[in-house]
mmCIF file of all heavy atoms in Angstrom:
data_model
loop_
_atom_site.group_PDB
_atom_site.id
_atom_site.type_symbol
_atom_site.label_atom_id
_atom_site.label_comp_id
_atom_site.label_asym_id
_atom_site.label_seq_id
_atom_site.Cartn_x
_atom_site.Cartn_y
_atom_site.Cartn_z
ATOM 1 N N GLU A 95 8.368 46.182 -14.532
ATOM 2 C CA GLU A 95 7.034 46.774 -14.598
ATOM 3 C C GLU A 95 5.983 45.832 -14.019
ATOM 4 O O GLU A 95 4.887 46.274 -13.669
ATOM 5 C CB GLU A 95 6.676 47.121 -16.040
ATOM 6 C CG GLU A 95 7.542 48.222 -16.636
ATOM 7 C CD GLU A 95 7.138 48.580 -18.048
ATOM 8 O OE1 GLU A 95 6.146 47.996 -18.547
ATOM 9 O OE2 GLU A 95 7.794 49.435 -18.655
ATOM 10 N N LEU A 96 6.321 44.548 -13.916
ATOM 11 C CA LEU A 96 5.417 43.575 -13.323
ATOM 12 C C LEU A 96 5.615 43.571 -11.811
ATOM 13 O O LEU A 96 6.734 43.749 -11.325
ATOM 14 C CB LEU A 96 5.688 42.179 -13.889
ATOM 15 C CG LEU A 96 5.468 42.020 -15.390
ATOM 16 C CD1 LEU A 96 5.883 40.617 -15.839
ATOM 17 C CD2 LEU A 96 4.009 42.283 -15.759
ATOM 18 N N PRO A 97 4.536 43.350 -11.053
ATOM 19 C CA PRO A 97 4.658 43.357 -9.596
ATOM 20 C C PRO A 97 5.661 42.308 -9.103
ATOM 21 O O PRO A 97 5.689 41.182 -9.603
ATOM 22 C CB PRO A 97 3.236 43.021 -9.127
ATOM 23 C CG PRO A 97 2.346 43.417 -10.258
ATOM 24 C CD PRO A 97 3.145 43.165 -11.500
ATOM 25 N N LEU A 98 6.454 42.710 -8.132
ATOM 26 C CA LEU A 98 7.462 41.807 -7.583
ATOM 27 C C LEU A 98 6.823 40.568 -6.979
ATOM 28 O O LEU A 98 7.345 39.458 -7.125
ATOM 29 C CB LEU A 98 8.298 42.535 -6.528
ATOM 30 C CG LEU A 98 9.391 41.708 -5.836
ATOM 31 C CD1 LEU A 98 10.399 41.186 -6.853
ATOM 32 C CD2 LEU A 98 10.078 42.540 -4.758
ATOM 33 N N ALA A 99 5.686 40.731 -6.316
ATOM 34 C CA ALA A 99 5.016 39.588 -5.684
ATOM 35 C C ALA A 99 4.610 38.551 -6.727
ATOM 36 O O ALA A 99 4.762 37.346 -6.505
ATOM 37 C CB ALA A 99 3.793 40.061 -4.902
ATOM 38 N N ALA A 100 4.110 39.007 -7.867
ATOM 39 C CA ALA A 100 3.693 38.086 -8.928
ATOM 40 C C ALA A 100 4.891 37.324 -9.480
ATOM 41 O O ALA A 100 4.832 36.115 -9.713
ATOM 42 C CB ALA A 100 2.981 38.843 -10.044
ATOM 43 N N ARG A 101 6.008 38.037 -9.673
ATOM 44 C CA ARG A 101 7.210 37.372 -10.178
ATOM 45 C C ARG A 101 7.777 36.405 -9.144
ATOM 46 O O ARG A 101 8.236 35.308 -9.486
ATOM 47 C CB ARG A 101 8.245 38.416 -10.594
ATOM 48 C CG ARG A 101 7.857 39.159 -11.864
ATOM 49 C CD ARG A 101 8.903 40.177 -12.263
ATOM 50 N NE ARG A 101 8.878 41.354 -11.408
ATOM 51 C CZ ARG A 101 9.938 42.081 -11.092
ATOM 52 N NH1 ARG A 101 11.138 41.726 -11.542
ATOM 53 N NH2 ARG A 101 9.822 43.148 -10.329
ATOM 54 N N ALA A 102 7.726 36.799 -7.879
ATOM 55 C CA ALA A 102 8.233 35.918 -6.826
ATOM 56 C C ALA A 102 7.413 34.636 -6.741
ATOM 57 O O ALA A 102 7.966 33.530 -6.593
ATOM 58 C CB ALA A 102 8.226 36.640 -5.484
ATOM 59 N N LEU A 103 6.101 34.763 -6.852
ATOM 60 C CA LEU A 103 5.251 33.574 -6.775
ATOM 61 C C LEU A 103 5.408 32.675 -7.997
ATOM 62 O O LEU A 103 5.067 31.497 -7.948
ATOM 63 C CB LEU A 103 3.785 33.989 -6.595
ATOM 64 C CG LEU A 103 3.429 34.507 -5.196
ATOM 65 C CD1 LEU A 103 2.020 35.071 -5.168
ATOM 66 C CD2 LEU A 103 3.570 33.409 -4.153
ATOM 67 N N SER A 104 5.931 33.221 -9.098
ATOM 68 C CA SER A 104 6.212 32.396 -10.272
ATOM 69 C C SER A 104 7.335 31.393 -10.018
ATOM 70 O O SER A 104 7.523 30.452 -10.796
ATOM 71 C CB SER A 104 6.580 33.278 -11.471
ATOM 72 O OG SER A 104 5.452 33.936 -11.988
ATOM 73 N N LEU A 105 8.062 31.595 -8.945
ATOM 74 C CA LEU A 105 9.126 30.651 -8.606
ATOM 75 C C LEU A 105 8.585 29.273 -8.240
ATOM 76 O O LEU A 105 9.360 28.341 -8.045
ATOM 77 C CB LEU A 105 9.978 31.210 -7.463
ATOM 78 C CG LEU A 105 10.803 32.461 -7.818
ATOM 79 C CD1 LEU A 105 11.459 33.030 -6.571
ATOM 80 C CD2 LEU A 105 11.854 32.130 -8.870
ATOM 81 N N TYR A 106 7.267 29.152 -8.159
ATOM 82 C CA TYR A 106 6.703 27.818 -7.928
ATOM 83 C C TYR A 106 7.120 26.842 -9.030
ATOM 84 O O TYR A 106 7.143 25.619 -8.808
ATOM 85 C CB TYR A 106 5.176 27.879 -7.816
ATOM 86 C CG TYR A 106 4.418 27.922 -9.128
ATOM 87 C CD1 TYR A 106 4.154 26.738 -9.829
ATOM 88 C CD2 TYR A 106 3.934 29.105 -9.665
ATOM 89 C CE1 TYR A 106 3.453 26.755 -11.028
ATOM 90 C CE2 TYR A 106 3.233 29.134 -10.849
ATOM 91 C CZ TYR A 106 2.987 27.957 -11.527
ATOM 92 O OH TYR A 106 2.301 27.963 -12.713
ATOM 93 N N HIS A 107 7.476 27.370 -10.200
ATOM 94 C CA HIS A 107 7.930 26.495 -11.290
ATOM 95 C C HIS A 107 9.177 25.700 -10.897
ATOM 96 O O HIS A 107 9.415 24.616 -11.444
ATOM 97 C CB HIS A 107 8.236 27.327 -12.539
ATOM 98 C CG HIS A 107 7.027 27.889 -13.208
ATOM 99 N ND1 HIS A 107 6.126 27.118 -13.906
ATOM 100 C CD2 HIS A 107 6.565 29.169 -13.288
ATOM 101 C CE1 HIS A 107 5.169 27.882 -14.398
ATOM 102 N NE2 HIS A 107 5.409 29.134 -14.026
ATOM 103 N N LEU A 108 9.961 26.232 -9.979
ATOM 104 C CA LEU A 108 11.157 25.517 -9.529
ATOM 105 C C LEU A 108 10.808 24.362 -8.600
ATOM 106 O O LEU A 108 11.503 23.349 -8.566
ATOM 107 C CB LEU A 108 12.105 26.489 -8.807
ATOM 108 C CG LEU A 108 12.613 27.689 -9.599
ATOM 109 C CD1 LEU A 108 13.458 28.577 -8.704
ATOM 110 C CD2 LEU A 108 13.401 27.237 -10.820
ATOM 111 N N VAL A 109 9.733 24.537 -7.848
ATOM 112 C CA VAL A 109 9.353 23.555 -6.827
ATOM 113 C C VAL A 109 8.385 22.509 -7.374
ATOM 114 O O VAL A 109 8.390 21.352 -6.926
ATOM 115 C CB VAL A 109 8.720 24.279 -5.616
ATOM 116 C CG1 VAL A 109 8.292 23.301 -4.537
ATOM 117 C CG2 VAL A 109 9.681 25.319 -5.059
ATOM 118 N N MET A 110 7.562 22.899 -8.348
ATOM 119 C CA MET A 110 6.483 22.035 -8.812
ATOM 120 C C MET A 110 6.947 20.656 -9.288
ATOM 121 O O MET A 110 6.345 19.643 -8.905
ATOM 122 C CB MET A 110 5.691 22.739 -9.914
ATOM 123 C CG MET A 110 4.435 21.989 -10.344
ATOM 124 S SD MET A 110 3.253 21.742 -9.004
ATOM 125 C CE MET A 110 2.653 23.407 -8.772
ATOM 126 N N PRO A 111 8.003 20.545 -10.117
ATOM 127 C CA PRO A 111 8.412 19.191 -10.527
ATOM 128 C C PRO A 111 8.812 18.311 -9.343
ATOM 129 O O PRO A 111 8.502 17.116 -9.323
ATOM 130 C CB PRO A 111 9.615 19.449 -11.451
ATOM 131 C CG PRO A 111 9.447 20.849 -11.918
ATOM 132 C CD PRO A 111 8.811 21.585 -10.772
ATOM 133 N N VAL A 112 9.476 18.911 -8.360
ATOM 134 C CA VAL A 112 9.888 18.148 -7.168
ATOM 135 C C VAL A 112 8.665 17.670 -6.399
ATOM 136 O O VAL A 112 8.575 16.511 -5.987
ATOM 137 C CB VAL A 112 10.788 19.008 -6.264
ATOM 138 C CG1 VAL A 112 11.175 18.250 -5.001
ATOM 139 C CG2 VAL A 112 12.035 19.450 -7.023
ATOM 140 N N MET A 113 7.696 18.553 -6.224
ATOM 141 C CA MET A 113 6.470 18.205 -5.516
ATOM 142 C C MET A 113 5.703 17.096 -6.229
ATOM 143 O O MET A 113 5.196 16.155 -5.610
ATOM 144 C CB MET A 113 5.592 19.444 -5.361
ATOM 145 C CG MET A 113 4.232 19.176 -4.746
ATOM 146 S SD MET A 113 3.235 20.677 -4.694
ATOM 147 C CE MET A 113 1.615 19.982 -4.333
ATOM 148 N N LEU A 114 5.619 17.194 -7.545
ATOM 149 C CA LEU A 114 4.878 16.203 -8.312
ATOM 150 C C LEU A 114 5.569 14.846 -8.295
ATOM 151 O O LEU A 114 4.914 13.805 -8.162
ATOM 152 C CB LEU A 114 4.672 16.697 -9.743
ATOM 153 C CG LEU A 114 3.674 17.854 -9.880
ATOM 154 C CD1 LEU A 114 3.761 18.476 -11.271
ATOM 155 C CD2 LEU A 114 2.254 17.374 -9.597
ATOM 156 N N VAL A 115 6.888 14.845 -8.428
ATOM 157 C CA VAL A 115 7.629 13.577 -8.347
ATOM 158 C C VAL A 115 7.450 12.961 -6.968
ATOM 159 O O VAL A 115 7.221 11.745 -6.828
ATOM 160 C CB VAL A 115 9.120 13.800 -8.662
ATOM 161 C CG1 VAL A 115 9.933 12.560 -8.314
ATOM 162 C CG2 VAL A 115 9.304 14.149 -10.131
ATOM 163 N N PHE A 116 7.541 13.784 -5.929
ATOM 164 C CA PHE A 116 7.326 13.309 -4.562
ATOM 165 C C PHE A 116 5.937 12.692 -4.418
ATOM 166 O O PHE A 116 5.771 11.601 -3.860
ATOM 167 C CB PHE A 116 7.504 14.462 -3.574
ATOM 168 C CG PHE A 116 7.185 14.102 -2.149
ATOM 169 C CD1 PHE A 116 8.103 13.404 -1.378
ATOM 170 C CD2 PHE A 116 5.968 14.464 -1.582
ATOM 171 C CE1 PHE A 116 7.805 13.070 -0.060
ATOM 172 C CE2 PHE A 116 5.664 14.139 -0.275
ATOM 173 C CZ PHE A 116 6.589 13.435 0.494
ATOM 174 N N GLY A 117 4.925 13.399 -4.928
ATOM 175 C CA GLY A 117 3.563 12.899 -4.823
ATOM 176 C C GLY A 117 3.352 11.591 -5.565
ATOM 177 O O GLY A 117 2.694 10.676 -5.057
#
Side-chain angles (χ1 to χ4, degrees):
E95 294 182 2
L96 298 175
L98 179 60
R101 289 181 286 148
L103 286 172
S104 287
L105 293 173
Y106 81 82
H107 289 289
L108 301 176
V109 179
M110 187 60 71
V112 178
M113 175 183 166
L114 289 168
V115 169
F116 175 79

